[in-house]
Amino acid sequence: MEQLILASGACDPAADIICKPENVNELFEFTHPLFSIGPFDFTRTVFLTFLAMVIVLAFLYFGLRKTRVVPSRFGVLVESAVGFVRDDIAKGVIGPEGGRYVPYLLAMFLFLLVANLFEVTPGINFPITSRMAIPVFLSLLTWVIFVVVGFFKNGFRYVLDIIWPKSVPIGLRWLVGIIELVSTFLLRPLTLAVRLFANMVAGHLMLTLLLVSGWVFMSSVGDIGARSIIGLPWFVFGLGIYLFEIVVAVLQAYIFTLLSAVYIQSSVHPEH
Amino acid sequence: MTPEAADALKGAIALVGYGLAAVGPGIGIGIVVGNAIQAMARQPEMAGQSRTTMFLGIAFTEALALIGFVLFFIA
């Protein structure tokens, strides 16, 4: 919001038809670090990343510290989250071997859930996954895991089966092989990261534009009089989008984890 | 054409390109979700599995729109 006001102050509404920043990412940068350690700036985004880590650790620690036969209400919440990732995502997609990947998938799901829900948390209102570094790092982690698992389980045949698929007519094998090679090793991590990033950027921009413009119109009632009523529909529409964004935040965390599991599954059982 | 006008035109063309890239996946996601709803209505006991498969189908179909989004940023 601070960046939006700065950006809107930099342009001349009389001369420019569209007032927009050079790049959307400028709106998501915090240029004033809280403090710096050497060349590393400790900005609000970094602080929120550590906060998300602490929240996930506390959630799991306090939920699973004392496991009882009849767990407390909070314990039920934590156990259902763990059970959802273990049974529905890991074992449901990967199969019986999926148990080995539960820690990774659970950590990723909970971290992304907290990071995405920062978007709709009052007082924070900033999804840290809208900074490209975090989705890219997580998707590269998934990439490394599924490539290493593929080589570990199948040896060099893992790549051979991708570039020379046996189930395809021989005349088309080279074409399907090229497409599969590009899609497996290049497009998978790219789309995995960009999907999360794009959803969070679009959601944050929509929320900020609608709620801020509505608020600015309604709060300047003294200057523009009855015309400030135009801000009310914006604000109401923004609140509707707010509810929608809660769904999007949870769904994107789920889809990121689900696709990671599917990619790992395609390395564990390459013939499917 | 002045360089500024060329720059502005480039941004506008990138926007149109993203719009075109979003058409195909939009139709594809519609087909995926529609068929998933049909499957869930016909066999409610398989609804959980249909839903998971639907999300996967959406995710794969979305890829083209996401590539268009990246190109929009790069252009």
Side-chain angles (χ1 to χ4, degrees), chain B residues 35 58 62 75:
Chain B
N35 282 335
I58 291 174
E62 232 178 9

Side-chain angles (χ1 to χ4, degrees), chain A residues 117-268:
Chain A
L117 283 176
F118 275 163
E119 184 188 11
V120 288
T121 310
I124 296 176
N125 284 329
F126 182 75
I128 51 177
T129 38
S130 65
R131 300 297 293 157
M132 192 54 170
I134 291 172
V136 159
F137 179 74
L138 289 176
S139 78
L140 280 183
L141 214 56
T142 298
W143 187 83
V144 167
I145 287 180
F146 81 72
V147 169
V148 168
V149 167
F151 274 109
F152 194 73
K153 292 262 182 195
N154 312 297
F156 194 67
R157 272 196 46 232
Y158 173 59
V159 177
L160 212 63
D161 279 347
I162 289 173
I163 56 177
W164 199 248
K166 290 281 192 297
S167 52
V168 176
I170 193 146
L172 281 173
R173 272 185 200 169
W174 61 277
L175 182 63
V176 175
I178 291 171
I179 295 173
E180 280 292 302
L181 192 70
V182 171
S183 106
T184 306
F185 293 113
L186 220 63
L187 290 184
R188 271 183 185 184
L190 181 81
T191 53
L192 195 60
V194 171
R195 178 176 300 112
L196 182 61
F197 165 75
N199 273 289
M200 288 299 124
V201 165
H204 185 61
L205 273 183
M206 250 193 317
L207 279 183
T208 317
L209 284 175
L210 289 170
L211 292 177
V212 170
S213 64
W215 183 251
V216 166
F217 267 110
M218 286 195 292
S219 60
S220 58
V221 65
D223 294 336
I224 57 175
R227 278 183 292 162
S228 67
I229 195 75
I230 202 172
L232 193 65
W234 285 134
F235 201 78
V236 171
F237 187 49
L239 289 179
I241 296 286
Y242 192 91
L243 296 178
F244 176 67
E245 285 303 318
I246 297 175
V247 179
V248 169
V250 177
L251 199 64
Q252 287 305 318
Y254 170 61
I255 286 182
F256 197 101
T257 319
L258 184 71
L259 280 176
S260 297
V262 169
Y263 294 159
I264 292 172
Q265 188 268 345
S266 72
S267 292
V268 176

